[in-house]
Structures are given as structure tokens and as C-alpha cells.
Amino acid sequence: MRRLRSFTGRSLAALIVATGVVVRLSTGALAADFRQGNSVTIGANQTISDDVYVAGGTITIAGTINGSVIAAGGTITVSGTVSRDVMAAGGTVNVTGKVGGSIRAAGGNLTINSPVEQDVVVTGGMVSVGSGGSIGRDLVLAGGQATVSAPVGRNVQMGSGTVTLQGKVGGNVTGQVDHLKLDGAQVGGNLDYSSNNQVQIVNGAHVAGTMTRHTPINQGTTTNGFVGWLRALIGIFALGLLFLLLLPRFSSRSIDVLRAEPWLSLGIGAVILIATPIVALIVFILGLLIGGWWLGLLLIPLWLLALAVGYVVSSFLLGRLVFAQLGWGRYHDVLALLGGLFILAVVTLVPVIGWLVGLAAVVFGSGALALALTRARMRPAGA
């Protein structure tokens, strides 16, 4: 893999500056620490009194962070103390250090075994919240398979394939699951869930309140699901078609950037995915006080458009790579786009990993799009 290059893009800089200005106005934070590379390490003897933004292949944070950690990469390990929030997106995410705020994370494999003072919001293929940790307020989880052994101060909200609860829950447990197991768990409130399967209650597990199971309604699921899938495919293909035909050089430049610098694209895409709605919300709230609230609302559709076009960029590159492997040397770019979109659309139907593949396509593509746009703006006229 090629080394990550410096974050010199004006688009990323503008996003970071906007985030920093808004955060300073609202919280008084004065600075941020930006790091990137194939391998990024903050040693156990280091103390950083800033928010830390990190992008890379392997990220290790063992020191003390007096602020928040925002990280995107292949493998992310946070074993040090973080005084505020941890926001992470990666293939593997491990958090074992104390977190003074909340954890918001997405990835293939997520492991949290640390005391968290506020909320934990996670989504992943495999999620493990170990008994060595604790959650001060709420737990929100989505994914393929999740095991929660840590005590949860308030409520648990689920949206997963299989969930096993083993610790104490102070409030209610709600959500939709395929399989739910209470293995010694002590639920202080109610259990209200939707599933085709009855909950398993073993090893002395107990629910203090009421237990209610709702059976999902599956009438017309297959037909409606296929129609929805087909409509989504047609819609994103129409967007991609406009992108290719109206901006042919820029679309080609975007996939060239993605192919040459995938990890830098991942880092920037993760920042766009996570930071933009936060900035939009803060701008909206401040706008209600000082004017310009509509700017916050305007950011959301622009953000959604950027993510959708990012998905198109990843699909376009995938189609070209597949056609190259097949030895097809002469084809129209529209055909490559359609082929890539179809492959991704089929893969996203696969349980557990499908949505992760779709998310990766969005993040990689939107990051490459931002890089290509930045470099196009920086290129001298006529170059």
C-alpha cells in the first residue's frame, strides 16, 4: 500500500476549519491535533490537550488525550485515557481505555472493554462489550452479532441479528433482533422486542418489569424488498450517469485518486461521514441564536449528495477493475459503472457484511471525490 500523503486539500481543510470554529464557539476548545500515516502511534507517555484527528492503516492511542479522539483506519486501538468522546470507523476497533464522554464507532469487529461515562453507540459485524468495562448511560447497537457483558446504567436499544446480554441493565431493553439471549442478565426495567424467536433466559437472568414480544409482519417482504432494491439501483445509476456524462474528466480523475490513495481517501471520507452532520447541527443551533440557521439545513442535502456520488465513484472503479480482470479492453464507461453498481448492489444483500461493504464504498468514494475536487481547484488554469 502506498504511503498516506499530507492533508493539503482545501475541501478537507475547509471542513476542519468549519468544525473547529463552530466547536470553539460552542465549547471553548482552542486547538486540534491532526495525524496521518500508514502507522500512527501516540505512546503511553504522551499527553495531548487537544482533540485528536487520526487517519491511517494502523492507529494506536495509548497516551492521555484531554479532548476527543476522531479516528479512521484499518485497525484502531485506544488503550489510553480519553477525557471526552471517541468516534472511530475502521475494520477493527478496540477500546480498552477510560472514556470520559461517549463512544460512537462503526467497523467490522468492535471490542469495547473500558469504563465509558456516557453513551455507547456502535454498529458492526461483530460487537463485544466486555465485562471489564461499564456504560454510564445508554447503549445503542446494530450489527450482525453482539455480546454485552458490561453493566449498562440506563437503557439498551438493539437492531441486530443476534444479541446476548450478560450484565446488569438499569433501564429498559428494546429493539428488533433475530435472536435474543439473556445469559445471567439482570434487567431493571421492561423487555420490549420484535423477533420471530422467543427470548432465551438462562443462568438466573431476570427481567424486573414486563416482557413483550412483537412478531414482525412479513407479508409481501420478498416482493417489496426486490422492488425497493431495484428502484435504489436504478436511482443511483441515474445519478452516476449524470456524473459521468456531465463531468467525464472529473469522474475519471476521482477513481484514479481512489485507486492511487485508498487510505487517504478512507480517512477523508470518514471525516466527511462523521463530522458533517455534527457541524450541521451545531450551525443550525447557533443560527437560531445569531442568524443563518438555514446554512445548517443546507449542509445535510449536500452531505447526502456527496455520499451518494462517493458510492458512484467506488462502483465506477470496481467496474473498471472487474472488466480489466476479464480482459475487456474496449467498453464505454457507462457499462463499467453499471457493472460495478450491480456487483455492489448484490453484495449489499449479503447478511451482516453487506451493509459494511456499502458503507466502505460510500466512505472510500466520498473521500476520493473530495481529494479530486480539491486538486482540481488547486490546479493552475490551463494545466
Side-chain angles (χ1 to χ4, degrees):
M1 297 181 184
R2 302 181 63 176
R3 289 184 177 274
L4 287 166
R5 299 178 184 175
S6 60
F7 285 87
T8 58
R10 291 182 185 174
S11 295
L12 178 60
L15 177 59
I16 293 172
V17 169
T19 305
V21 169
V22 172
V23 171
R24 287 176 196 174
L25 288 173
S26 59
T27 66
L30 295 178
D33 188 306
F34 301 94
R35 304 187 180 208
Q36 48 83 27
N38 283 337
S39 179
V40 179
T41 300
I42 297 176
N45 60 343
Q46 291 183 267
T47 298
I48 299 176
S49 296
D50 293 325
D51 293 335
V52 177
Y53 293 77
V54 192
T58 301
I59 298 171
T60 302
I61 300 176
T64 299
I65 310 298
N66 294 320
S68 296
V69 171
I70 298 90
T75 299
I76 302 170
T77 301
V78 181
S79 57
T81 299
V82 180
S83 67
R84 294 176 61 191
D85 298 336
V86 172
M87 291 181 282
T92 299
V93 178
N94 299 303
V95 182
T96 58
K98 181 180 179 181
V99 178
S102 298
I103 294 177
R104 300 175 182 87
N109 291 283
L110 297 174
T111 301
I112 298 173
N113 200 20
S114 62
V116 181
E117 291 189 9
Q118 297 185 22
D119 303 321
V120 171
V121 181
V122 291
T123 177
M126 298 286 292
V127 177
S128 175
V129 184
S131 58
S134 61
I135 300 172
R137 299 199 309 190
D138 298 328
L139 169 63
V140 180
L141 59 89
Q145 183 172 336
T147 301
V148 181
S149 302
V152 179
R154 298 197 309 198
N155 303 315
V156 174
Q157 183 171 340
M158 316 166 292
S160 299
T162 300
V163 176
T164 300
L165 299 179
Q166 298 176 328
K168 180 180 179 181
V169 179
N172 302 320
V173 176
T174 60
Q176 181 169 345
V177 294
D178 290 335
H179 299 277
L180 175 61
K181 183 177 182 180
L182 303 184
D183 185 359
Q186 302 297 310
V187 179
N190 302 324
L191 172 61
D192 191 327
Y193 67 106
S194 296
S195 179
N196 288 317
N197 303 289
Q198 187 73 32
V199 61
Q200 290 181 270
I201 301 179
V202 298
N203 294 328
H206 176 69
V207 177
T210 60
M211 289 193 295
T212 306
R213 179 170 75 96
H214 308 277
T215 303
I217 300 175
N218 296 320
Q219 295 178 353
T221 298
T222 303
T223 301
N224 293 336
F226 174 76
V227 171
W229 176 84
L230 185 60
R231 286 177 176 173
L233 177 61
I234 293 173
I236 198 70
F237 176 65
L239 176 63
L241 198 60
L242 289 174
F243 182 56
L244 261 63
L245 297 181
L246 296 179
L247 301 168
R249 294 179 60 186
F250 180 66
S251 59
S252 295
R253 192 178 300 122
S254 298
I255 67 168
D256 289 341
V257 169
L258 178 55
R259 188 170 187 176
E261 300 174 287
W263 291 114
L264 182 55
S265 299
L266 171 65
I268 295 176
V271 171
I272 293 173
L273 177 68
I274 296 172
T276 305
I278 298 173
V279 172
L281 177 61
I282 297 175
V283 169
F284 177 75
I285 294 173
L286 289 178
L288 292 175
L289 300 175
I290 63 177
W293 56 268
W294 55 271
L295 290 172
L297 296 181
L298 182 61
L299 278 175
I300 296 302
L302 292 176
W303 173 64
L304 294 174
L305 178 61
L307 297 182
V309 177
Y311 188 87
V312 167
V313 170
S314 296
S315 301
F316 189 18
L317 175 59
L318 176 61
R320 280 195 171 183
L321 293 176
V322 170
F323 285 4
Q325 286 294 111
L326 294 175
W328 295 1
R330 304 182 68 179
Y331 56 84
H332 197 281
D333 281 344
V334 172
L335 186 60
L337 171 65
L338 181 59
L341 283 172
F342 181 77
I343 294 171
L344 276 181
V346 171
V347 172
T348 53
L349 295 176
V350 179
V352 182
I353 67 169
W355 70 270
L356 287 173
V357 173
L359 178 63
V362 167
V363 174
F364 276 102
S366 58
L369 186 71
L371 273 174
L373 179 61
T374 297
R375 291 168 183 174
R377 292 171 63 88
M378 295 176 64
R379 185 176 292 108

